Amino acid sequence: MKLTVLVDNNTLIDRYFFAEPGLSFLLEDSGIRVLFDTGYSDIFLTNARKMGLSLLDLDYLVLSHGHLDHTWGLEPLIRLFTEAGIEKLPSRSPVLVAHPLVFESKKTEEIGEIGSLFTPKKLSEHFRLQLSSTPLWLSEKLVFLGEIPRNFTFEVEAAVGYVQDSEGNKIPDLIPDDTALVYRQKQGS
């Protein structure tokens, strides 16, 4: 497996990539290409271009959870695919894999919206959605974990803002949509 960091919160000295409080990785294995998170802005696209990487032929787009530092790059990614279509460039729309709660509106009193800016309905116009709270194998070796049970007291931390239910009640956001990818190799995961 090859993992390329497209966005992180720091950069290496003498490498002129951009950084932000966000995350985006490109994983490649056995012909499968997975974009894991999109960061906060479009710099994952800028950094990919600087590395000579195209993101127009992804198999999967996986979101780790629904906060702004992992999902707000969706808008520039949609723009990339739209412009590729306009220019008739070869591209394929990836399957978007995420927990079903990833697109809930998440807020804090101080900031307001800190969740994804898109609804599943709107994203389904651009990607094929595969929302799952259970594990989902993306390849023979790479698995999306779905909802990760929290079994230990140290795992239950303070809420990160809140979500509102259909009646407008504020429910503490304990990030049940937080998930991960696991790569299994001969030596283990």
Side-chain angles (χ1 to χ4, degrees):
M1 180 192 62
K2 179 180 177 184
L3 185 145
T4 304
V5 177
L6 299 177
V7 172
D8 194 359
N9 60 1
N10 61 51
T11 63
L12 298 173
I13 301 300
D14 295 332
R15 296 295 306 269
Y16 297 97
F17 299 115
F18 294 98
E20 68 184 7
L23 183 73
S24 182
F25 298 147
L26 177 64
L27 293 92
E28 300 170 274
D29 182 61
S30 304
I32 301 291
R33 299 183 83 230
V34 179
L35 180 64
F36 185 69
D37 286 340
T38 62
Y40 176 76
S41 70
D42 66 345
I43 68 169
F44 73 104
L45 295 172
T46 302
N47 287 342
R49 274 191 298 274
K50 289 177 121 190
M51 294 177 203
L53 299 170
S54 172
L55 299 182
L56 290 174
D57 60 346
L58 300 169
D59 296 290
Y60 295 99
L61 165 58
V62 177
L63 298 177
S64 65
H65 65 284
H67 285 148
L68 67 154
D69 53 335
H70 299 265
T71 65
W72 280 19
L74 284 168
E75 186 267 333
L77 185 64
I78 290 169
R79 192 177 324 120
L80 175 76
F81 281 102
T82 301
E83 291 172 5
I86 292 168
E87 299 298 326
K88 301 198 181 346
L89 297 173
S91 66
R92 73 170 173 257
S93 178
V95 175
L96 191 158
V97 177
H99 188 284
L101 300 177
V102 79
F103 302 113
E104 285 186 316
S105 178
K106 300 162 186 350
K107 298 180 179 182
T108 67
E109 297 294 343
E110 304 81 27
I111 301 170
E113 184 63 56
I114 62 166
S116 173
L117 299 175
F118 289 98
T119 64
K121 183 179 185 315
K122 192 63 167 170
L123 284 170
S124 70
E125 296 173 13
H126 302 279
F127 305 106
R128 292 164 287 149
L129 301 186
Q130 192 156 8
L131 305 180
S132 179
S133 58
T134 60
L136 176 68
W137 286 91
L138 305 181
S139 73
E140 189 176 302
K141 297 178 181 178
L142 189 62
V143 64
F144 167 80
L145 293 182
E147 190 163 333
I148 301 171
R150 296 190 175 141
N151 299 321
F152 304 99
T153 55
F154 69 85
E155 294 176 303
V156 179
E157 305 228 356
V160 179
Y162 62 89
V163 296
Q164 283 183 295
D165 66 14
S166 57
E167 285 103 43
N169 299 313
K170 295 178 182 177
I171 301 166
D173 182 14
L174 298 174
I175 320 173
D177 55 318
D178 194 22
T179 189
L181 292 174
V182 171
Y183 183 79
R184 183 174 24 182
Q185 57 184 353
K186 290 179 183 176
Q187 295 85 6
S189 297

